[in-house]
Amino acid sequence: MSDTTTTADGAAPRTDSIEDLAGFSRRSGELFCEEISARELARRFQTPLYAYSRQALEHNIADWRAGVAGTPHRVFYAMKANGSLALLELFARAGLGFDIVSRGELARALAVGAKGCDIVYSGVGKSLEDMRAALAADVLCFNVESLPELERLNAAALEMGTTARVSLRVNPDVDARTHPYISTGLKNNKFGIAFDSALEGYRRAARLPGLKISGIDCHIGSQITELEPFVHAAHKVLDLVEEISGAGIALEHIDFGGGLGVRYGAENPPAARELVSALSQCVRERGFGDLPLFFEPGRSLVAQTGLLLTTVEYVKPTAARNFCIVDAAMTDMIRPTLYQAEMAMVNCSEHADAAPAVYDVVGPVCESGDFLAKNRLLDVREGDVLAMTGAGAYGMSMASNYNARGRAAEVLVDKDSAWLIRRRETIEDQMALESRLPLEVL
Ligand code: LLP
């Protein structure tokens, strides 16, 4: 066994705790989600299991809703982060709107009672069918990302005898200082309309009879942990707002997108209320304080509300590394392998006779990229339940069936109740969409 407490490269290994997480606590060595121990959840619902805390969700909603006197703001939850209907229902009940990127997401928003006026539609590749469905639902605003999309939306609206409210998503060419895969506001990204073409885009939109200009939009990336890139982008957007108003085109809102980061490890991101307050201040300073601000947060509303619970199948010491092989995999949580994301990992029950060592926590999938955490100082035994914290965003929503693995179950914990909000996917579920070839062609 490579039984050291340092990593192969001599660095100090990472250990995590669950302090500072609303909804979660450690009591006599046991991890609790509200009033139920994580081990009890794993026993009742099996693993891999996503467990969300309602209290944590409400904490985050309150942070985002805490507005700034005098500057109206609306929050549209970007459901790509976690589209579970039960969570959406809680957001809808709390008065949040939804930021959607597909007809599937539209249907989910409508299913939990959202009205068109609660929905903004983002995304770089809206199809004609997408547009028709969203026009039929009378969505509040389409965030349009290219001039050809403007033309297509205009045609779709005219054909349906209606008008599409639009914002142009402008690309402010600001470095969000985040992982390249989740950075979207640089000019070499596929997103948005180039800053220099935006005014022309607005002039064009103003001439199209099927469109009504509603606002302006930008989204510069995700997991942004400082205010500065947001403020920088806001000032660039406000430069454009001045030009657009100067051209006699009235705007009714400014949408600053999503992107606020969370604390997965050592990051220290601002609270949502600090971001709202900083951007409200920019807008007021520049004389546009009467324009409502829209935000499209995903991660910051849900990441810290969720645990991914997983059971240790094997502890496998080797000469080079110690592997802790668990029943969750990259199919349940792809962030570590896709973005080199370092997600926190803790043992749900602390052992009295502690024997920590440095482990890579890996799944059963046939890929070396199938890991959940590397170089972690953990005390793990076969049968232990581990929890990845911060797993509520871009976990379940990016899950796959690779290796014919069924997707995990999800539960929502509310004090001492746990509701199964999505049952575990069965092997039959996975095969249900497929058809066999007729016998004669075999
Ligand atoms: N609005 C737009 C137009 C977006 O593209 C996104 C995220 C959001 C809002 C929400 O951003 P958030 O507040 O969640 O940062 N799978 C990646 C993140 C991809 C984000 C894509 N767009 C991850 O796991 O890090």
Side-chain angles (χ1 to χ4, degrees), residues 6 24 44 57 141 158 162 167 170 182 192 207 217 222 236 247 258 277-278 296 337 349 353 374 383 388 426:
T6 52
F24 303 95
R44 243 192 261 171
L57 283 161
C141 189
L158 291 178
T162 182
S167 282
V170 298
I182 53 176
R207 286 194 298 269
D217 171 51
S222 197
K236 295 194 77 173
S277 149
E296 303 166 356
T337 193
S349 308
D353 54 338
K374 284 189 167 177
M388 175 188 273
T426 64

Side-chain angles (χ1 to χ4, degrees), residues 66 68 139 260 278 304 377 424:
V68 175
V139 300
L260 180 60
Q304 302 294 13
L377 189 61
R424 188 171 301 287

Side-chain angles (χ1 to χ4, degrees), residues 336-377:
T337 193
L338 193 55
Y339 315 113
Q340 295 81 48
E342 302 244 348
M343 315 279 294
M345 185 71 76
V346 298
N347 197 326
C348 294
S349 308
E350 285 166 357
H351 294 288
D353 54 338
V358 180
Y359 287 96
D360 286 355
V361 180
V362 301
V365 164
C366 308
E367 301 261 356
S368 292
D370 179 27
F371 57 87
L372 297 175
K374 284 189 167 177
N375 289 324
R376 302 303 172 87
L377 189 61

Side-chain angles (χ1 to χ4, degrees), residues 131-353:
M131 290 174 174
R132 286 184 182 136
L135 285 166
D138 198 18
V139 300
L140 182 63
C141 189
F142 287 85
N143 292 333
V144 172
E145 301 220 14
S146 66
L147 299 184
E149 187 189 332
L150 268 186
E151 305 291 333
R152 186 186 287 182
L153 183 58
N154 175 58
L158 291 178
E159 168 203 290
M160 290 176 66
T162 182
T163 328
R165 285 173 292 271
V166 296
S167 282
L168 293 195
R169 173 173 174 183
V170 298
N171 185 335
D173 194 22
V174 165
D175 185 0
R177 297 202 280 266
T178 184
H179 190 279
Y181 285 11
I182 53 176
S183 180
T184 52
L186 284 167
K187 62 173 178 256
N188 58 358
N189 294 130
K190 70 177 173 182
F191 298 102
I193 291 178
F195 200 74
D196 299 339
S197 321
L199 184 58
E200 196 37 52
Y202 273 96
R203 288 212 168 98
R204 179 73 192 133
R207 286 194 298 269
L208 293 173
L211 304 183
K212 155 118 185 38
I213 293 170
S214 168
I216 188 164
D217 171 51
C218 83
H219 169 82
I220 57 171
S222 197
Q223 185 52 16
I224 302 167
T225 54
E226 306 153 284
L227 285 178
E228 195 278 329
F230 287 108
V231 171
H232 185 181
H235 278 295
K236 295 194 77 173
V237 169
L238 289 163
D239 291 343
L240 262 180
V241 173
E242 277 171 9
E243 283 186 46
I244 295 163
S245 318
I249 298 173
L251 297 178
E252 289 162 11
H253 70 261
I254 306 178
D255 184 336
F256 285 124
L260 180 60
V262 301
R263 187 185 171 100
Y264 287 117
E267 306 92 335
N268 199 8
R273 63 188 74 206
E274 293 176 70
L275 176 64
V276 173
S277 149
L279 296 188
S280 303
Q281 194 187 330
C282 292
V283 173
R284 276 200 310 272
E285 276 167 16
R286 300 282 299 265
F288 294 104
D290 52 337
L291 279 182
L293 303 187
F294 287 8
F295 292 90
E296 303 166 356
R299 187 191 315 268
S300 51
L301 276 166
V302 287
Q304 302 294 13
T305 71
L307 302 175
L308 171 58
L309 299 178
T310 181
T311 304
V312 177
E313 296 282 7
Y314 300 101
V315 176
K316 180 175 172 180
T318 71
R321 304 184 85 80
N322 300 320
F323 294 103
C324 170
I325 303 175
V326 295
D327 64 359
M330 63 189 284
T331 49
D332 302 294
M333 171 50 83
I334 202 171
R335 304 197 67 257
T337 193
L338 193 55
Y339 315 113
Q340 295 81 48
E342 302 244 348
M343 315 279 294
M345 185 71 76
V346 298
N347 197 326
C348 294
S349 308
E350 285 166 357
H351 294 288
D353 54 338

